[in-house]
Amino acid sequence: MSTTISFEAARKAKGGSERRTYLMMALIVGVLSLALWVPVGAGAVSDAAPAQPQSVVPQNAALDADAIAKTISERPLFNASRRPPQEAAPAPPPVVTISLVGVINDNQTEIALLRMSNAPGVHRLAVGEQLGKWRVTAITKASVTVMDDEGKVSVMALDGKG
């Protein structure tokens, strides 16, 4: 039995030295890793005061919430140029035209049936009546003559010409 005890004691002694060797190697690898990870001079102490960050706002300026909100709205955050969008030029007013739909002509009255391009419905006008900027000056069986505010005379025929 003494042989087995001495054999086990030898094995424990050998296992213990291997364990110490592994622990020493792990410690050396850890120290080297730490030395490579920490930059040189990181632990150095300096007598100089740390630099103060530059402020965008002057120190004597009063912070006004309305002024800040106005600045933010005028300079949009997600706009590449950080400038407010330019105002678009107003669209010119649409050109309004009239067209002749029909003529009612009996022996006593003459009525022109006119339609404006910007409004639904048909308007019934006699000579001398006005629709928009046009005044009816003459009505025949197949045409109507109108004059606009500027004095331009137009003759509209039922066949679509004119």
Side-chain angles (χ1 to χ4, degrees), residues 15-105:
S17 68
E18 284 181 12
R19 187 176 301 152
R20 271 184 260 152
T21 304
Y22 288 132
L23 287 174
M24 288 299 286
M25 287 175 53
L27 181 65
I28 291 171
V29 168
V31 169
L32 288 175
S33 299
L34 185 63
L36 291 174
W37 182 58
V38 175
V40 177
V45 178
S46 173
D47 290 339
Q52 294 294 326
Q54 294 288 335
S55 176
V56 177
V57 178
Q59 294 202 359
N60 59 358
L63 295 177
D64 181 20
D66 292 334
I68 292 171
K70 182 180 177 190
T71 301
I72 290 172
S73 67
E74 288 176 351
R75 300 184 72 185
L77 180 62
F78 297 106
N79 191 345
S81 69
R82 303 247 325 142
R83 301 282 181 244
Q86 298 296 324
E87 295 295 325
V95 177
V96 179
T97 59
I98 60 171
S99 59
L100 179 62
V101 177
V103 174
I104 299 173
N105 191 351

